[in-house]
Amino acid sequence: MSKYEEIKPTPDTLFVEHGYGNRFQGFQNLMRLRIRDILLVSSLYDLYLFEEDGRLYELIRNEYQGLNLSHSPELTRVSSGHDAISLAQEEGRFDLIITTLHIEDMHPLNFAKQARKSGLNVPIVLLAHDNKELKHILLNPEVTLFDRVFIWQGDFRIIIAIVKYLEDKLNAEHDSRIVGVQNVIFIEDNVRYYSLFLPIIYTEMLKQSQRLISEGINLTHKFLRMRARPKILLCSNYEEAMNYFEEYKELCLGIISDIDFPRNGKQDPAAGLRFAKAVKSQHSDIPILLTSDNPDYQEQAKEVQAAFLYKNSTTLLHELRQFMNLNFSFGDFVFRVPSGGEVARASDLKSLEECLKIVPIESIKYHAERNHFSNWLKARTEFWLAHRLRPRKVTDYPNAEDLRKDLIQSLNTYRTLRQRGIISDFNKETFDPKSSFARIGGGSLGGKARGLGFVSTLINDYNVRDKFENVIISVPPAVVLGTDVFDHFLDENNLRQFALHCDDDTEITRKFLDAEKFPEDIMGDLAAFLDIIRAPLAVRSSSLLEDSQYHPFAGVYETYMIPNNRSNPLIRLNDLLNTIKRVYASTFYQSAKNYIKVTSYRLEEEKMAVIIQKMVGKAYGNRFYPNFSGVAKSYNFYPLPPQKSTDGIVSAALGLGKWVVEGGNSVRFCPKYPTDLIQFYSTKEALNTSQRAFFALQLDEVDKFEEITHDTLVQQFELSVAELDSTLSYVGATYSPENDAIYDGLSRKGIRVVNFSPVLKNKMFPLAEILELLLDMGTWGMGTPVEIEFAVNLSPSEGKRKEFGLLQVRPLVVSHEVEDLDLNSFKDEELICKSQQVLGNGIISDIYDIVCVDYENFDRSKTREVASEVAALNNMLINEGKPYLLIGVGRWGSLDPWLGIPVGWEQIAGAKAIIESSFKEFTVEPSQGSHFFQNITSFMIGYFTVNMVHKHGFVDWEWLMKQKPLVNKSFTRLLRFKKPITIKMNGHQNKGIILKPEV
């Protein structure tokens, strides 16, 4: 069973508006059956009477837009019944047919009869003027051929009421079952009155939905809540109404009923009173309005605890609106004392919580005894909280003040949890500094932010946040500047053309920092965010193309850390704005331009969003860093038995994750076998591969925001500093030269080694278990293997839980071609290279160039010069459009220049295949956690690892050194051949060969 299946949500474990899956999924499934196309069958004269000034369709469309309703229905008119039937049959697109009394070629009853005979399974509604002709039709038993009869009384909104009535009828059962959508039962057998009342009821209902839109968490949530408005269930007799009530009594928002209507097939002048009494006997808190044209019923209505409306009142419609607003909990929540006086008013959940703190206790008791709180919440589509509160009785609490505390706590918890895992629109009042993830500005969030938003949703929907004892798993609180802000900034400051054509990174940075115009509304929101978050911040790129499935742009753009600790809020804002500008500038750096050249994209297509995220960690003197951080992949490209590729691999290091993603030595382990650490099998290997330093943010440094194109505040420190900070003890061990042995802990003297033994062996923190679960969930959720960046703080403030912060989630490209290649039919002398550690599958046969390190002249102390030479040859070949084979020694993309060649990805981006050979004297394992490695796998570059020390494969250096170079530099050579070099890779066996070109 997959790990995520163990934690699938249930109604009791999730703070959601419905019982399963994603929080808004239920809302998305609402109102599935819509009326989009209406066929109007009428004479031109009837149409003229309806339209009056020829604007019926326009009026309907404007009303839909005014009420924020999507999909205003299209109207098609025909004059004859025959035309209507043939058109409906031919096109099959009509959801509703409305016919008037006067059509060209037949009586409307005959039209309905013929339409049914022809097999049209579409609702047919008769819309007529109130006259003798209509009364005659209503007495005809065949009137049941129509789904309903309505009277036109001059209000075009009757069309909207007809549409909404039918949509409610079609969707009531499904929507009530899915999320608990509320219902209003409306009983009226008189055509004139329900035709009069329905437009009013729907208008008030839709206005209520509009009020709720302003409180939606984000745009999606706002409009999805529109779909959850209460349904109006129109009935014409007692039995129909009672059936609806029995089915939906737990979801009944209220009842509007005539008093005199049919019961048991006969007209019953007291049917409404009987119905009200039956309802109140089961649910005394359901509001009921009884209507009659006989004022004598007012006292009897009062006896059954119902309000009364006199149908002949001169203020009939006003009184109906007033009843709905007061009793269906539309509009504000009005706190009253038992005598009826108003003491406070709340317009939303936050103001309701504030009012509860100060209103008299007798007011709270008054409303709680009548379920007013849960009714108001239901009317606002806050179904989960409403259903939690409704069963609670005032008598359940020791005293009334405990009731007050419980209501306040319930609201506060719900408001917080409602936002978790959702990318909301930033609002200072609702932003939770512990967990919110909000957007500022329009446009896209970019790839990185999308990944974070997605995994945040998974964590919260599947209740992973609190799954491990004393640990909180979350995406740290953040805001994302949408790509529209980037476009606005470029255009307002006339930077776009300059940035696209300038090839000097320093000049680009200077020009962006000097740009004075920044959207004022955005600056206001950023200032509000900084007022809430006073901790150090990571300012990360999140471009449109970043973390896409095939071109992840890993490490191409800049990330900056800022202390955010200056006392002056304006200086803090200025620091943040300058940092955002530097991230924007990195979109146009030469490294990004080179990267884009080898993709199918154009630089002008790229847009930059920016994530501003609270950092995970703690201050130690003038340094801020997490206890450890790292990268976890759900697919291991180089598994060693008993591990399988799908068991995943983790690279973890002390301090900031920059150490891992830039290719520094780290601890590598499989989450399934966390104590099986291959790199520590021998003391010599352990010392060679151990982390020697770590990165932390310098808190007392001031960024002068000069034209430097990298982060100057993140600095490297020795392990001795971490030992003084007491953070090395969580991950450290000691090497004793006397015994040539490594001992857990730091209690004895000796060389410090980072081996994560306290965490992985002694289970100080469930790191392996958390990562195994998250990798499994991420792979399931994204439908592809994933890579996760994380940071852990084991030393939170007193009384708080340990933090596991998810900083990034991206898809991982794993090629699964089916073709197996036979690699055993070639002799070694025919080969440039042979390896048993290969990434990739298939044949590459369009390479004529090799860029290789001069094996004889290679000097480990000169690897930076080697990187510079490789970059120059790479740029030359990219400009010529020539892919090449790259051959080097040590680890490509290494953070430590003594362990390999410290190139950035953009410096070798033109390579189509890469060989990483061991040094003459020792070997270095590939760094699977680095951004460099991520780009290799994503571009599906053939990657050969050769361990010549242990004779696992070979590179024919002797042959390579004999070839005449096209370009010969101090440490590198460019070889060009007339015939292609053929590369063959067997992805199933992880083996490959590279054939010498034919001479």
Side-chain angles (χ1 to χ4, degrees), residues 720-828:
S720 56
V721 175
E723 187 165 4
L724 288 172
D725 292 340
S726 300
T727 54
L728 186 61
S729 59
Y730 294 111
V731 295
T734 305
Y735 169 68
S736 170
E738 293 84 5
N739 305 325
D740 190 32
I742 293 175
Y743 298 95
D744 290 347
L746 308 177
S747 58
R748 57 181 78 213
K749 290 182 179 178
I751 299 168
R752 302 314 190 197
V753 177
V754 176
N755 68 353
F756 275 75
S757 184
V759 172
L760 300 178
K761 195 164 90 177
N762 301 330
K763 307 290 184 185
M764 176 190 286
F765 181 81
L767 180 63
E769 292 89 338
I770 291 172
L771 288 171
E772 192 177 8
L773 173 63
L774 292 177
L775 287 172
D776 191 64
M777 279 190 75
T779 300
W780 161 75
M782 284 193 164
T784 178
V786 293
E787 179 176 87
I788 290 171
E789 288 185 28
F790 64 89
V792 174
N793 178 22
L794 299 177
S795 316
S797 307
E798 193 172 335
K800 293 189 176 177
R801 293 181 286 173
K802 297 169 184 174
E803 297 174 80
F804 180 99
L806 262 163
L807 309 181
Q808 201 166 330
V809 179
R810 62 167 75 92
L812 188 63
V813 177
V814 179
S815 180
H816 290 295
E817 290 86 351
V818 293
E819 184 185 0
D820 280 344
L821 296 173
D822 179 17
L823 307 178
N824 299 318
S825 56
F826 299 94
K827 298 174 185 173
D828 286 357

Side-chain angles (χ1 to χ4, degrees), residues 62-105:
N62 287 344
E63 187 75 4
Y64 264 71
Q65 288 172 348
L67 293 169
N68 279 305
L69 296 170
S70 57
H71 308 297
S72 62
E74 297 291 328
L75 279 172
T76 303
R77 191 198 70 82
V78 292
S79 298
S80 79
H82 284 110
D83 287 349
I85 293 167
S86 59
L87 185 66
Q89 286 178 319
E90 281 170 29
E91 299 200 2
R93 64 183 172 91
F94 296 106
D95 307 304
L96 167 64
I97 297 172
I98 297 177
T99 180
T100 66
L101 273 176
H102 305 109
I103 54 180
E104 200 173 87
D105 55 348

Side-chain angles (χ1 to χ4, degrees), residues 269-328:
L273 295 167
R274 297 180 201 277
F275 187 77
K277 197 171 181 180
V279 167
K280 288 288 185 179
S281 68
Q282 295 189 53
H283 283 295
S284 60
D285 61 325
I286 293 178
I288 300 175
L289 174 67
L290 294 177
T291 68
S292 175
D293 52 12
N294 182 353
D296 296 339
Y297 279 119
Q298 185 161 359
E299 281 304 314
Q300 293 181 53
K302 194 175 181 181
E303 287 172 14
V304 293
Q305 300 175 315
F308 179 78
L309 180 63
Y310 178 45
K311 285 183 177 179
N312 294 327
S313 167
T314 53
T315 56
L316 171 73
L317 301 183
H318 171 74
E319 290 175 51
L320 174 60
R321 287 194 193 96
Q322 196 174 36
F323 172 83
M324 291 175 67
N325 281 313
L326 286 174
N327 295 278
F328 291 172

Side-chain angles (χ1 to χ4, degrees), residues 299-397:
E299 281 304 314
Q300 293 181 53
K302 194 175 181 181
E303 287 172 14
V304 293
Q305 300 175 315
F308 179 78
L309 180 63
Y310 178 45
K311 285 183 177 179
N312 294 327
S313 167
T314 53
T315 56
L316 171 73
L317 301 183
H318 171 74
E319 290 175 51
L320 174 60
R321 287 194 193 96
Q322 196 174 36
F323 172 83
M324 291 175 67
N325 281 313
L326 286 174
N327 295 278
F328 291 172
S329 301
F330 293 173
D332 295 345
F333 188 97
V334 180
F335 282 90
R336 299 184 184 279
V337 288
S339 61
E342 179 181 330
V343 291
R345 188 177 284 258
S347 60
D348 55 24
L349 295 184
K350 186 169 176 49
S351 57
L352 181 68
E353 187 182 323
E354 295 305 314
C355 287
L356 282 166
K357 295 174 184 176
I358 58 169
V359 297
I361 195 64
E362 60 266 25
S363 176
I364 294 176
K365 279 181 68 178
Y366 171 79
H367 293 295
E369 284 167 350
R370 291 159 179 79
N371 281 327
H372 288 172
F373 295 117
S374 62
N375 288 346
W376 190 72
L377 290 165
K378 282 188 289 185
R380 304 172 65 77
T381 74
E382 306 291 1
F383 303 128
W384 183 88
L385 183 57
H387 288 303
R388 284 293 172 103
L389 291 180
R390 188 173 185 183
R392 301 179 191 177
K393 300 281 187 286
V394 175
T395 52
D396 293 343
Y397 298 90

Side-chain angles (χ1 to χ4, degrees), residues 348-351 353-354 412 415-416 418-419 424-433 436 438 525 528-529 531-532:
D348 55 24
L349 295 184
K350 186 169 176 49
S351 57
E353 187 182 323
E354 295 305 314
N412 185 271
R415 284 198 309 110
T416 302
R418 188 179 66 160
Q419 293 213 157
S424 57
D425 296 320
F426 177 76
N427 182 314
K428 186 179 179 182
E429 300 303 317
T430 58
F431 188 88
D432 182 358
S436 282
D525 282 341
F529 172 75
D531 195 41
I532 299 169

Side-chain angles (χ1 to χ4, degrees), residues 580-601:
I580 292 166
K581 291 175 185 177
R582 291 170 83 173
V583 174
Y584 283 166
S586 74
T587 315
F588 302 98
Y589 285 174
Q590 202 55 43
S591 58
K593 289 171 179 171
N594 287 344
Y595 188 104
I596 281 189
K597 280 180 186 175
V598 296
T599 72
S600 57
Y601 301 110

